[in-house]
Amino acid sequence: MKEFKPLPDLPPPVATTGFVGWLRENLFSSPLNSVMTLAVLYLLYTTLVPALDWAFFSAVFTGDDKTACEGITGACWTFVVNRIEIFTYGSYPATETWRLDICFLLLVLSFGPQFFEKFPYKLPLGVFSLTGFPVICYFLIAGGSFGLEHVETEKWGGLALTLMIAYVGIVAALPFGVVLALGRRSDMPVIRTFCIAFIELWRGVPLISVLFMSSVMLPLFLPEGVNFDKLLRALIGITMFQSAYMAEVIRGGLQAIPRGQYEAAQALGLSYWRMMGLIILPQALKLVIPGIVNTFIALFKDTTLVLIIGLLDILATVQAAITDPAWGAVATEGYVFAAACFWIFCFGMSRYSIKLEKKLHTGHKR
Amino acid sequence: MDNATSNELAVQLVGVNKWYGEFHVLKDINLDVTPGERIVICGPSGSGKSTMIRCINRLEEHQQGQIIVNGIELTEDLKRIDEVRREVGMCFQHFNLFPHLTVKENCTLAPIWVRKMPKAEAEDVAMHYLERVKIPEQAEKYPGQLSGGQQQRVAIARSLCMSPKIMLFDEPTSALDPEMIKEVLDVMVELANEGMTMLCVTHEMGFAKLVANRVIFMDAGQIVEQNEPHEFFDNPQHDRTKLFLSQILNH
């Protein structure tokens, strides 16, 4: 009898490599592509070069007032540098800003290491950033105890306020969203109806009207003398609003889990909550990471809407500063700075979600 | 067997009826299974065989009649359902392993969370059963990295980790390539020889002849015929059974 011997593995064919090969294959593979490449290069030249020139090469970064920027063609970053404290801390008392600095430092220390594969204490750190971190920050920022001077929420502002609202919104909207999504798929009619009503109500109104209601209407309905903080009301409004969106994103993930997963979990005797917590949600949440991050990013940018109820987040402080007659025409610089701040945080979230997806990928078949 | 009380029976179905909406899937099913008995259930698709064994661990609800498993009657009561599910293992056609957990974690999950077993002990148990299904070396891999046959053996090990008194198999080899069917059947034969009570929906007639005490033929939601394997294959009583057997055996 003949013995079957598989052929030996051969190396793959050598592709056209090198820089010139790459250029030929990707940019100049046909006359049309060559023309397109040149056209795009020209377009980049006419837009990117002046933009870089404005932002960096002809820009001014130093100085004390607008005289430093007289007669230049580039950006007047002097304005931003001079106002950086109000953009970062809002009208928080200048002598107390070290408290916010500690919070910023804690923020970096508790989230930064999550980006590094090798860092060993990711889980405890993650728990800290969801529990200890917000509590410490609250006591530090609000003061009133441990000998710290009390600072009313009216004085909170700038980037610190933006981050605070976004953080609370994100951390609170996710668990609420999970509960609402599970409720909407529940077999129990009362719970299901409540969840559907809640989601559809909050999803059906614009965030601006939610914020208006919370700051203008709500106090009218409360009894005389009862008044709770404007920032707190805004936070609750944003959380409710975003958890409705989050619920629908998560419901999409729950629907993608095959019936067999539920059946296998039930057949093993797992209770409803164990089945959801150990089997279904870990898979469903992983599936909808892009959607969840999308909602987080939208939430982060929506925080700017709090300026209409008189909370001064970073965009509001920038807007107030550019109307200062002492500086002249610095609107562009102000808005570019605000946009850059938002972009850095949103891009960070996006990168982290990509990392997370890669890490949780466990095979090709489901 | 007729004299046995419900306490001594592993599974007892009495006058079970079930409907999917208007469709009557199970019609007056009566079935007694004694401990240690190996039963093979066959029949054309849509005959209700899967539905019947899925009723035994309440993955499906029955609307009329009684189902008693290990002396516990299945009702709406969630506690009883959990009690029954703890003692009844099940293997599915599509394995239904948990893709986000490793093979070992798949096996230890239920013992740790349902049986409250310490993690180290659960891992020992898992490795023991993974050795029995002959894939201990795959313990740290994810299900997506295994072949179909290996996945089904993991699924069997996962059920065995709960040390069930009864095992249900719902077409365990139907989704497998021909070369992998044998490795799964070997595990099941071994299990049968150790005296496990088994109810197995399958079309593997070789397996039925080898290990079954009884073969049940179902059609249109009814048990048409049941007999010990040799009688069943050599001397079927019903025309419907003869037709079915001729179709699956002669091709």
Side-chain angles (χ1 to χ4, degrees):
Chain A
M1 204 193 296
K2 271 198 213 169
E3 196 192 342
F4 169 68
K5 266 197 189 144
L7 292 169
D9 290 342
L10 298 175
V14 184
T16 347
T17 47
F19 181 63
V20 178
W22 182 89
L23 275 183
R24 223 175 246 167
E25 192 178 331
N26 293 290
L27 299 179
F28 299 100
S29 58
S30 72
L32 179 66
N33 279 358
S34 306
V35 173
M36 296 289 269
T37 304
L38 292 175
V40 168
L41 281 177
Y42 178 71
L43 209 66
L44 282 179
Y45 175 74
T46 52
T47 54
L48 210 58
V49 171
L52 288 174
D53 184 57
W54 176 82
F56 298 107
F57 307 124
S58 306
V60 182
F61 293 88
T62 52
D64 295 320
D65 52 26
K66 77 170 169 187
T67 52
C69 299
E70 267 162 13
I72 54 137
T73 53
C76 182
W77 296 122
T78 314
F79 161 69
V80 173
V81 173
N82 269 274
R83 293 302 177 92
I84 195 75
E85 281 184 4
I86 198 157
F87 294 163
T88 322
Y89 308 120
S91 35
Y92 205 82
T95 51
E96 302 295 321
T97 50
W98 59 271
R99 282 146 68 173
L100 291 174
D101 289 335
I102 293 179
C103 291
F104 281 126
L105 188 68
L106 277 177
L107 182 77
V108 173
L109 287 181
S110 55
F111 284 95
Q114 301 286 357
F115 282 87
F116 297 99
E117 200 66 56
K118 296 269 161 60
F119 186 74
Y121 309 110
K122 275 187 184 171
L123 188 68
L125 196 65
V127 172
F128 170 75
S129 56
L130 292 179
T131 54
F133 169 67
V135 173
I136 292 174
C137 284
Y138 174 76
F139 280 108
L140 266 176
I141 298 171
S145 50
F146 303 110
L148 293 170
E149 184 195 333
H150 177 63
V151 181
E152 311 90 73
T153 52
E154 276 75 27
K155 291 193 176 156
W156 303 7
L159 183 63
L161 183 71
T162 297
L163 290 177
M164 209 184 305
I165 298 173
Y167 187 87
V168 173
I170 286 171
V171 170
L174 189 61
F176 273 121
V178 168
V179 171
L180 285 170
L182 292 177
R184 192 168 182 167
R185 285 168 61 79
S186 165
D187 293 329
M188 288 175 260
V190 177
I191 291 175
R192 191 176 56 233
T193 315
F194 172 79
C195 290
I196 292 175
F198 185 95
I199 290 168
E200 296 301 339
L201 177 76
W202 288 98
R203 217 161 47 129
V205 290
L207 184 56
I208 289 193
S209 66
V210 172
L211 291 171
F212 254 129
M213 294 280 262
S214 72
S215 78
V216 183
M217 302 281 287
L218 196 65
L220 297 180
F221 297 117
L222 290 172
E224 199 82 28
V226 176
N227 189 23
F228 60 101
D229 195 75
K230 184 158 73 173
L231 177 61
L232 181 63
R233 279 178 277 154
L235 283 175
I236 293 173
I238 288 176
T239 304
M240 297 290 115
F241 183 84
Q242 296 295 347
S243 55
Y245 278 92
M246 192 57 75
E248 289 299 275
V249 171
I250 292 167
R251 190 166 68 96
L254 289 174
Q255 277 173 350
I257 304 301
R259 195 83 229 109
Q261 292 290 311
Y262 291 86
E263 289 178 350
Q266 285 168 349
L268 286 169
L270 294 175
S271 64
Y272 175 83
W273 290 108
R274 296 230 167 96
M275 171 174 80
M276 285 299 171
L278 297 168
I279 307 298
I280 307 299
L281 279 174
Q283 295 183 58
L285 291 179
K286 186 189 108 186
L287 275 179
V288 292
I289 286 174
I292 292 175
V293 173
N294 208 14
T295 312
F296 283 169
I297 288 177
L299 187 154
F300 193 88
K301 293 186 295 184
D302 280 352
T303 57
T304 52
L305 291 173
V306 297
L307 80 92
I308 63 148
I309 59 167
L311 295 172
L312 297 177
D313 73 327
I314 182 168
L315 191 61
T317 51
V318 167
Q319 252 173 351
I322 56 179
T323 55
D324 184 351
W327 281 95
V330 285
T332 321
E333 285 86 348
Y335 283 124
V336 167
F337 170 72
C341 288
F342 278 100
W343 185 81
I344 287 169
F345 285 99
C346 294
F347 185 68
M349 282 193 262
S350 165
R351 297 310 300 177
Y352 182 66
S353 84
I354 292 172
K355 258 186 70 73
L356 204 58
E357 273 179 73
K358 277 198 187 134
K359 193 182 132 199
L360 296 177
H361 184 75
T362 57
H364 306 286
K365 272 188 279 182
R366 291 195 39 78
Chain B
M1 203 168 86
D2 292 331
N3 299 329
T5 66
S6 61
N7 282 337
E8 288 167 20
L9 291 173
V11 181
Q12 189 180 25
L13 280 74
V14 184
V16 171
N17 278 288
K18 177 174 173 59
W19 290 264
Y20 285 132
E22 290 289 301
F23 180 58
H24 198 172
V25 268
L26 293 180
K27 298 176 185 164
D28 196 32
I29 301 284
N30 290 289
L31 179 69
D32 290 346
V33 183
T34 52
E37 202 174 6
R38 278 97 57 190
I39 293 180
V40 163
I41 302 154
C42 60
S45 63
S47 60
K49 45 193 197 308
S50 285
T51 309
M52 185 179 79
I53 70 162
R54 287 157 61 88
C55 278
I56 294 171
N57 65 353
R58 195 79 170 183
L59 288 181
E60 305 275 356
E61 255 172 71
H62 62 286
Q63 278 111 20
Q64 269 179 21
Q66 277 183 304
I67 298 178
I68 299 159
V69 183
N70 282 324
I72 302 166
E73 184 178 353
L74 282 168
T75 59
E76 294 283 320
D77 187 358
L78 287 176
K79 264 198 185 140
R80 289 189 189 194
I81 295 173
D82 283 344
E83 236 173 289
V84 166
R85 281 175 180 165
R86 250 173 274 158
E87 306 302 330
V88 179
M90 182 156 195
C91 289
F92 300 87
Q93 182 177 1
H94 296 290
F95 332 131
N96 298 349
L97 293 175
F98 305 130
H100 62 302
L101 302 176
T102 63
V103 164
K104 198 203 261 173
E105 286 164 343
N106 263 277
C107 293
T108 56
L109 182 105
I112 289 174
W113 291 94
V114 180
R115 289 243 190 265
K116 313 282 177 213
M117 200 184 273
K119 192 173 176 222
E121 192 187 337
E123 281 180 355
D124 289 346
V125 173
M127 288 316 292
H128 169 74
Y129 284 110
L130 285 174
E131 265 156 42
R132 283 225 355 224
V133 300
K134 298 175 189 72
I135 34 175
E137 72 282 2
Q138 313 282 4
E140 303 302 330
K141 286 194 185 170
Y142 285 95
Q145 296 164 307
L146 305 186
S147 74
Q150 289 172 326
Q151 289 193 46
Q152 191 63 293
R153 284 186 283 152
V154 172
I156 294 173
R158 178 176 71 176
S159 296
L160 293 178
C161 284
M162 284 291 280
S163 31
K165 298 199 173 79
I166 301 165
M167 283 289 292
L168 307 173
F169 292 88
D170 189 0
E171 307 207 27
T173 55
S174 304
L176 296 178
D177 290 340
E179 277 190 320
M180 296 171 184
I181 291 178
K182 191 177 172 296
E183 66 188 48
V184 171
L185 288 180
D186 285 348
V187 170
M188 289 169 63
V189 169
E190 212 175 286
L191 201 57
N193 291 338
E194 286 165 19
M196 175 67 80
T197 312
M198 292 165 72
L199 279 94
C200 185
V201 173
T202 184
H203 293 127
E204 297 297 330
M205 290 306 139
F207 173 77
K209 282 179 194 167
L210 192 62
V211 303
N213 301 109
R214 190 162 28 137
V215 181
I216 292 177
F217 175 67
M218 286 182 75
D219 190 25
Q222 284 167 289
I223 293 179
V224 178
E225 184 169 347
Q226 46 181 316
N227 217 329
E228 61 91 23
H230 285 291
E231 271 301 288
F232 180 85
F233 289 112
D234 302 338
N235 187 18
Q237 304 296 309
H238 280 264
D239 289 344
R240 185 66 190 87
T241 318
K242 274 180 201 160
L243 181 67
F244 178 76
L245 287 176
S246 71
Q247 275 165 348
I248 63 163
L249 294 178
N250 305 327
H251 64 82

